[in-house]
Amino acid sequence: MAPRTDKVLLSLGFLAIAASILFALTSLATGYEISIYGGTPVGFWISFGVLLIVCIWFLIAAQRLVFGGIFATGVVFILSGLPYLRGYAYFGRYDALNHLGSVRQILLANLDLQLNLYPAMHFLAAIVSITADLSANKSLLLLPIVFSLLYLFGMVLLARHFADNQLQFGVVIVLCLAYPGIISIQMPKLQPIPNVLTMLILPIVIASLVLLEKRGDVRYAGILIGLAGVLTLYHPQHSLAFIMFLTMWLIGNNLFERYHSRHTIHSANLLTTIVFSGTTLLFWISSKYGFAGAIVSIITGLIQTETAVSEISTGGSALQLVGGSLTTIFLRVFPLKIIISVVTIAFVSRTLWNIFRKEDSIEKRQICLLYLSLLPGIVLGILFFIKGTIGQFFRFAGVALMLGTIATGLAIGQAGEFLRQRTGRRIIVGLIGLVLIVAVISSIPVLYKSPYVYQPSEQVTEARFAGYDWIFESRPEDGPGIASLDTSVYRMRNIHYGKQNSVREMRQNPKILAPLSKDRPTPEFHAFVPYHFSDSEFNSSVDRQSAYIVKTEYGTKQHLRLYDGLRFDQSDMRYLDAHSAEVYSNGGTSVYHIRFSN
């Protein structure tokens, strides 16, 4: 196209970035939003869509990679920063709350490193909090943005290394923009938790490996060794998987050199990295409190007889009660993942076949090693899946799918170049651009949890923080237990007191919590709040005939609007008003003192 068209689109792209950010900043969340998509104005999505189209134009059609890279950076920044730009106090309902508690523990200046398995993220957030004068929750919200940009940088390095032409490079970069929808299977992947952040820096680590082999520069060996140590401090499980990855890479190198490859690779640096990483990992985890128990738990989990079938069946039955199904979720979440899996396997198989036919190059060998070295992690993930630990399986699958975007992009670019020479550039570029737009857009609805996948948004509001702070400060030391309709009491305690302080106190006094459950969870809990408590009697010991119940916007919208009263319905909410005293309310969170009949 003419340079004038590029200039117009260039201006349009920068305007789209500015408009997207402006729409986000001027539509701050005033309360809990069950869907971040519904709470974000239409103008944001229109301007963001324009930005995405302009980005793909410069990467695929115009092949002006510098401008395409700038707009790709804008896409990643806006997508990963949406909760921060919309003014969310925090994002992440489960483990993310525990990690916020760990950062608070550091800021209280009494962290015991023996009890902290993932200190790198916590210390980084604490440093940002102190130096930028931000709250701990806001400093943590910045990390997914920073690490998503690091992910993009790592993928650019890998794409430059493996791509034979500009079209292949552009397709890989566009596909990697769909990473949230590709790697997010069980949980959203843009929360401030170590598993997520470690996954996002893996492309940089792998890029240092392939560049070390190609250039033989000892500086890359130093970078690789340093990054391997960083993985241990961010997430030991990913560090162990990376050691397995490097070991398979080393074995594969030796086999290629012995039978098929004309390229000699010196393995001393790689072996040094494996030894260093293994020693660091072993020293680190063996120094942690409960190390032996964790090992026993993992082994027990792998040899237990339960399978994943019952868990899936139970989940499917529950979804049917609220008008959903596992089939619907599958059709919304998995097609892009399946396409990437199939194309990756086909591309690697063809590349491997070419190597056996002596059509060898260091890049072809490395692209094969990249995926063959993932096999130990994939096998371990499958074992976890068979034994019912589905979350662990999805963790390994997410890494494989993330790296699968490289092979898929290379395959699409290779096919595009082949067809372009026969049918005309404009037609092929148009088809590839259309496919990539659909791929990225289809990944956006599963970026953040929402009713689209039968999950509420994991937004945490200031009102929710304030409500829990009040009950923790106001509850008498020997008072009744605390329950909540959003079931995160102990995590919110971790934030209020610091995680280690809170865990220590709850072990000494488990009566602090009155858990929500269909049945009494364990004997040490003398009280619990049953589902549909308006229709049930509260089973308690003689001295525990009451409880504090925290009701938040999150809990109310989750149970009434999304799950249609499956656990708590409108009659339970009316029961609170009729049979209990509202002792605190801030507009978004209420605390009730309730006495149940025996």
Side-chain angles (χ1 to χ4, degrees), residues 5 30 37 47 76 141 214 232 313-314 427 431 488 496 502 538 576:
T5 302
T30 57
Y37 304 104
S47 56
V76 170
L141 271 186
K214 183 170 184 178
T232 298
S313 300
T314 303
I427 296 175
L431 289 175
S488 296
H496 184 77
S502 175
F538 181 57
L576 285 178

PDB file of all heavy atoms in Angstrom, residues 5 30 37 47 76 141 214 232 313-314 427 431 488 496 502 538 576:
ATOM      1  N   THR A   5      -1.257   5.712   3.096  1.00  0.00           N
ATOM      2  CA  THR A   5      -2.146   4.836   3.869  1.00  0.00           C
ATOM      3  C   THR A   5      -1.506   4.461   5.196  1.00  0.00           C
ATOM      4  O   THR A   5      -2.164   4.457   6.243  1.00  0.00           O
ATOM      5  CB  THR A   5      -2.461   3.561   3.063  1.00  0.00           C
ATOM      6  OG1 THR A   5      -3.055   3.929   1.819  1.00  0.00           O
ATOM      7  CG2 THR A   5      -3.397   2.650   3.839  1.00  0.00           C
ATOM      8  N   THR A  30     -17.173   1.757  40.336  1.00  0.00           N
ATOM      9  CA  THR A  30     -17.700   2.343  41.573  1.00  0.00           C
ATOM     10  C   THR A  30     -18.169   1.287  42.564  1.00  0.00           C
ATOM     11  O   THR A  30     -18.538   1.615  43.683  1.00  0.00           O
ATOM     12  CB  THR A  30     -18.872   3.273  41.245  1.00  0.00           C
ATOM     13  OG1 THR A  30     -19.879   2.528  40.525  1.00  0.00           O
ATOM     14  CG2 THR A  30     -18.407   4.442  40.379  1.00  0.00           C
ATOM     15  N   TYR A  37     -16.061  -7.037  31.518  1.00  0.00           N
ATOM     16  CA  TYR A  37     -16.416  -6.671  30.147  1.00  0.00           C
ATOM     17  C   TYR A  37     -17.674  -5.811  30.116  1.00  0.00           C
ATOM     18  O   TYR A  37     -17.761  -4.840  29.371  1.00  0.00           O
ATOM     19  CB  TYR A  37     -16.620  -7.930  29.302  1.00  0.00           C
ATOM     20  CG  TYR A  37     -15.428  -8.846  29.307  1.00  0.00           C
ATOM     21  CD1 TYR A  37     -15.412 -10.013  30.062  1.00  0.00           C
ATOM     22  CD2 TYR A  37     -14.292  -8.541  28.579  1.00  0.00           C
ATOM     23  CE1 TYR A  37     -14.308 -10.850  30.078  1.00  0.00           C
ATOM     24  CE2 TYR A  37     -13.182  -9.364  28.585  1.00  0.00           C
ATOM     25  CZ  TYR A  37     -13.199 -10.521  29.347  1.00  0.00           C
ATOM     26  OH  TYR A  37     -12.107 -11.348  29.356  1.00  0.00           O
ATOM     27  N   SER A  47     -12.305   1.301  20.304  1.00  0.00           N
ATOM     28  CA  SER A  47     -10.962   1.853  20.099  1.00  0.00           C
ATOM     29  C   SER A  47      -9.905   0.765  20.207  1.00  0.00           C
ATOM     30  O   SER A  47      -8.920   0.756  19.450  1.00  0.00           O
ATOM     31  CB  SER A  47     -10.687   2.979  21.098  1.00  0.00           C
ATOM     32  OG  SER A  47     -10.851   2.540  22.426  1.00  0.00           O
ATOM     33  N   VAL A  76      -0.819  -5.268  24.490  1.00  0.00           N
ATOM     34  CA  VAL A  76      -0.497  -6.022  25.702  1.00  0.00           C
ATOM     35  C   VAL A  76      -0.664  -5.149  26.945  1.00  0.00           C
ATOM     36  O   VAL A  76      -1.213  -5.584  27.960  1.00  0.00           O
ATOM     37  CB  VAL A  76       0.941  -6.581  25.623  1.00  0.00           C
ATOM     38  CG1 VAL A  76       1.382  -7.166  26.961  1.00  0.00           C
ATOM     39  CG2 VAL A  76       1.021  -7.640  24.527  1.00  0.00           C
ATOM     40  N   LEU A 141      -0.785  -5.141  41.551  1.00  0.00           N
ATOM     41  CA  LEU A 141      -1.544  -5.051  40.304  1.00  0.00           C
ATOM     42  C   LEU A 141      -0.683  -4.592  39.131  1.00  0.00           C
ATOM     43  O   LEU A 141      -1.009  -4.860  37.969  1.00  0.00           O
ATOM     44  CB  LEU A 141      -2.717  -4.075  40.465  1.00  0.00           C
ATOM     45  CG  LEU A 141      -4.040  -4.644  40.961  1.00  0.00           C
ATOM     46  CD1 LEU A 141      -5.126  -3.583  40.914  1.00  0.00           C
ATOM     47  CD2 LEU A 141      -4.474  -5.850  40.144  1.00  0.00           C
ATOM     48  N   LYS A 214      23.435 -20.620  19.524  1.00  0.00           N
ATOM     49  CA  LYS A 214      23.742 -20.139  18.179  1.00  0.00           C
ATOM     50  C   LYS A 214      25.011 -19.283  18.157  1.00  0.00           C
ATOM     51  O   LYS A 214      25.827 -19.389  17.238  1.00  0.00           O
ATOM     52  CB  LYS A 214      22.563 -19.345  17.629  1.00  0.00           C
ATOM     53  CG  LYS A 214      22.805 -18.874  16.197  1.00  0.00           C
ATOM     54  CD  LYS A 214      21.561 -18.311  15.560  1.00  0.00           C
ATOM     55  CE  LYS A 214      21.816 -17.936  14.102  1.00  0.00           C
ATOM     56  NZ  LYS A 214      20.605 -17.433  13.429  1.00  0.00           N
ATOM     57  N   THR A 232      13.779 -20.204  40.412  1.00  0.00           N
ATOM     58  CA  THR A 232      13.642 -20.871  41.707  1.00  0.00           C
ATOM     59  C   THR A 232      13.008 -19.952  42.727  1.00  0.00           C
ATOM     60  O   THR A 232      12.156 -20.370  43.523  1.00  0.00           O
ATOM     61  CB  THR A 232      15.023 -21.340  42.210  1.00  0.00           C
ATOM     62  OG1 THR A 232      15.561 -22.291  41.286  1.00  0.00           O
ATOM     63  CG2 THR A 232      14.916 -21.980  43.582  1.00  0.00           C
ATOM     64  N   SER A 313     -17.527 -34.603  36.454  1.00  0.00           N
ATOM     65  CA  SER A 313     -18.950 -34.892  36.466  1.00  0.00           C
ATOM     66  C   SER A 313     -19.679 -34.016  37.461  1.00  0.00           C
ATOM     67  O   SER A 313     -20.756 -33.484  37.191  1.00  0.00           O
ATOM     68  CB  SER A 313     -19.172 -36.377  36.794  1.00  0.00           C
ATOM     69  OG  SER A 313     -18.549 -37.195  35.823  1.00  0.00           O
ATOM     70  N   THR A 314     -19.090 -33.846  38.650  1.00  0.00           N
ATOM     71  CA  THR A 314     -19.712 -33.011  39.669  1.00  0.00           C
ATOM     72  C   THR A 314     -19.819 -31.572  39.192  1.00  0.00           C
ATOM     73  O   THR A 314     -20.843 -30.917  39.343  1.00  0.00           O
ATOM     74  CB  THR A 314     -18.892 -33.063  40.976  1.00  0.00           C
ATOM     75  OG1 THR A 314     -18.794 -34.417  41.396  1.00  0.00           O
ATOM     76  CG2 THR A 314     -19.560 -32.241  42.058  1.00  0.00           C
ATOM     77  N   ILE A 427      -4.559 -11.255  -1.489  1.00  0.00           N
ATOM     78  CA  ILE A 427      -5.537 -12.255  -1.048  1.00  0.00           C
ATOM     79  C   ILE A 427      -5.018 -13.011   0.171  1.00  0.00           C
ATOM     80  O   ILE A 427      -5.725 -13.182   1.170  1.00  0.00           O
ATOM     81  CB  ILE A 427      -5.855 -13.242  -2.184  1.00  0.00           C
ATOM     82  CG1 ILE A 427      -6.530 -12.502  -3.341  1.00  0.00           C
ATOM     83  CG2 ILE A 427      -6.738 -14.377  -1.688  1.00  0.00           C
ATOM     84  CD1 ILE A 427      -6.775 -13.366  -4.553  1.00  0.00           C
ATOM     85  N   LEU A 431      -6.485 -12.990   4.043  1.00  0.00           N
ATOM     86  CA  LEU A 431      -6.965 -14.188   4.745  1.00  0.00           C
ATOM     87  C   LEU A 431      -6.222 -14.397   6.056  1.00  0.00           C
ATOM     88  O   LEU A 431      -6.836 -14.696   7.088  1.00  0.00           O
ATOM     89  CB  LEU A 431      -6.805 -15.411   3.839  1.00  0.00           C
ATOM     90  CG  LEU A 431      -7.760 -15.494   2.638  1.00  0.00           C
ATOM     91  CD1 LEU A 431      -7.408 -16.702   1.765  1.00  0.00           C
ATOM     92  CD2 LEU A 431      -9.205 -15.587   3.124  1.00  0.00           C
ATOM     93  N   SER A 488     -13.900 -16.147  51.688  1.00  0.00           N
ATOM     94  CA  SER A 488     -12.472 -15.821  51.659  1.00  0.00           C
ATOM     95  C   SER A 488     -12.005 -15.228  52.982  1.00  0.00           C
ATOM     96  O   SER A 488     -11.117 -14.387  53.008  1.00  0.00           O
ATOM     97  CB  SER A 488     -12.183 -14.825  50.528  1.00  0.00           C
ATOM     98  OG  SER A 488     -12.441 -15.383  49.273  1.00  0.00           O
ATOM     99  N   HIS A 496      -4.935  -8.618  56.326  1.00  0.00           N
ATOM    100  CA  HIS A 496      -5.061  -7.665  57.438  1.00  0.00           C
ATOM    101  C   HIS A 496      -3.892  -7.764  58.417  1.00  0.00           C
ATOM    102  O   HIS A 496      -3.334  -6.744  58.843  1.00  0.00           O
ATOM    103  CB  HIS A 496      -6.372  -7.904  58.182  1.00  0.00           C
ATOM    104  CG  HIS A 496      -6.647  -6.917  59.269  1.00  0.00           C
ATOM    105  ND1 HIS A 496      -7.103  -5.635  59.003  1.00  0.00           N
ATOM    106  CD2 HIS A 496      -6.507  -6.992  60.620  1.00  0.00           C
ATOM    107  CE1 HIS A 496      -7.249  -4.978  60.139  1.00  0.00           C
ATOM    108  NE2 HIS A 496      -6.903  -5.777  61.140  1.00  0.00           N
ATOM    109  N   SER A 502      -1.202 -14.267  60.574  1.00  0.00           N
ATOM    110  CA  SER A 502      -2.579 -14.748  60.549  1.00  0.00           C
ATOM    111  C   SER A 502      -2.646 -16.272  60.635  1.00  0.00           C
ATOM    112  O   SER A 502      -3.446 -16.826  61.391  1.00  0.00           O
ATOM    113  CB  SER A 502      -3.251 -14.272  59.262  1.00  0.00           C
ATOM    114  OG  SER A 502      -4.549 -14.799  59.141  1.00  0.00           O
ATOM    115  N   PHE A 538     -28.804 -24.230  62.645  1.00  0.00           N
ATOM    116  CA  PHE A 538     -27.360 -24.038  62.766  1.00  0.00           C
ATOM    117  C   PHE A 538     -26.819 -25.021  63.797  1.00  0.00           C
ATOM    118  O   PHE A 538     -27.067 -24.892  64.988  1.00  0.00           O
ATOM    119  CB  PHE A 538     -27.067 -22.601  63.179  1.00  0.00           C
ATOM    120  CG  PHE A 538     -25.600 -22.310  63.312  1.00  0.00           C
ATOM    121  CD1 PHE A 538     -24.739 -22.513  62.239  1.00  0.00           C
ATOM    122  CD2 PHE A 538     -25.076 -21.846  64.492  1.00  0.00           C
ATOM    123  CE1 PHE A 538     -23.403 -22.234  62.350  1.00  0.00           C
ATOM    124  CE2 PHE A 538     -23.727 -21.565  64.622  1.00  0.00           C
ATOM    125  CZ  PHE A 538     -22.894 -21.764  63.553  1.00  0.00           C
ATOM    126  N   LEU A 576     -31.229 -12.880  56.820  1.00  0.00           N
ATOM    127  CA  LEU A 576     -30.243 -12.048  57.510  1.00  0.00           C
ATOM    128  C   LEU A 576     -30.899 -10.771  58.026  1.00  0.00           C
ATOM    129  O   LEU A 576     -30.653 -10.349  59.170  1.00  0.00           O
ATOM    130  CB  LEU A 576     -29.091 -11.700  56.557  1.00  0.00           C
ATOM    131  CG  LEU A 576     -28.075 -12.795  56.253  1.00  0.00           C
ATOM    132  CD1 LEU A 576     -27.041 -12.288  55.256  1.00  0.00           C
ATOM    133  CD2 LEU A 576     -27.376 -13.279  57.524  1.00  0.00           C
TER     134      LEU A 576
END
